[in-house]
Amino acid sequence: MVEKFLLSETGNFPSISEEVSNQINVTRERCYEGLFSIALIAPFQSGKSTTLNAFADGREVSPRGLGGGGIKTSACLVKVQNPHKSREESVKITWRTKQDLLERLDEILETTARSIPNSEISRRLREISNKEAEAETEEEAKQYREEYLSIIDFTKPEGKTLLEQAVRKELEEYENNPAKGSEGVQNQLDMLRFAMIVLAYYNDPMLKELKNKTNFEPKDIENYLKFPDNFERRWNKCFKNYSLNLTKKEFTLEEVMYAFIEEVTYIVNSENLKKLGVKIIDCPGIFASKYDTLTALQAMQEASAILFLISGNKQLSQSEIKVLSMLREVGYGNKVFFSINYRNNPKTKTNKAVIDTILEQLQQLGFKGDSQL
């Protein structure tokens, strides 16, 4: 009851202006309604999902990396909040549309799909893409885009065959790439997994039936966002002998459901969330792919605040600097707060020199340092 009393008293101070009082009242109403949201941002496998689960009293509502088996490019938002009125728990799933999936597959395979040897379809894609780039109006560009996507439509035999050819070509190039252990190449491999899953399962009758529903019980979907056991070993078999049938043989629909989910909102009874009065949003990795980046940016734009988890090494990593620089560039810097992940680097907590170095880097990036970091 103390939290509710404090919320009810906010804004009732005679010394503040009417404008500030109104802003406080809007924020207070957001807290009451669970609309005050915090976007959780961090480099891949830096404790982001673990932190979200801690907010939810330790319940695993967001999948963790599981020893390197996580996927950087799932682009799935996971939101968690306390029930507003009733104590009933539920989960709402927003499914990716066919248009979303087509755009994502084009991002992954566009270069390869346009360069299949002796392919009339590839030639048409190149031609339409050039026309779209040269279009004089947005409406004209939109028409070319629609024509382009209709050609790579994976629900049609012609489009599906082309995309399968593109996947095979990408996998061949991956095997022959001397830099295949690099982060950039591994990110592309993650995206190829996504493409293989969509091509294998989009027309699955069970998936079609599930997509008719939006509301679920938490226990019904607990495996939808978890990463499969023996993830890398099973995928390696698919990469070496690519076929849609093998993908379906190695992975059940439940294990790869994440590819078809755009957003999951958990309504759970949590003492932590009840005290905070907020909705926490686990954002996908920035720069993992264009799609992931846009999804994360949209979530951050709508969020009331952004909590950036710093890995806690001796200094900010290059990936952290890259993300923070972008947040400043897009104008989100004024609502970013920082937290250091001491779990992976416990010595950092008592190492003032490391904290001072991180604070100095943040200041150089344009963020106001705070000794309470």
Side-chain angles (χ1 to χ4, degrees), residues 318-332:
Q318 287 302 309
S319 61
E320 287 171 329
I321 291 173
K322 185 178 180 182
V323 171
L324 289 171
S325 298
M326 188 197 67
L327 294 183
R328 290 287 299 172
E329 289 173 6
V330 297
Y332 298 163

Side-chain angles (χ1 to χ4, degrees), residues 232-246:
E232 291 293 344
R233 179 182 61 78
R234 293 160 70 189
W235 268 117
N236 285 337
K237 289 176 65 176
C238 296
F239 292 150
K240 291 178 181 178
N241 303 283
Y242 171 59
S243 75
L244 299 185
N245 288 336
L246 181 58

Side-chain angles (χ1 to χ4, degrees), residues 29-37 81-82 84 277-279:
E29 290 305 312
R30 282 182 171 180
C31 288
Y32 274 136
E33 298 171 8
L35 296 178
F36 190 92
S37 56
Q81 65 187 83
N82 209 57
H84 178 41
V278 297
K279 176 193 297 182

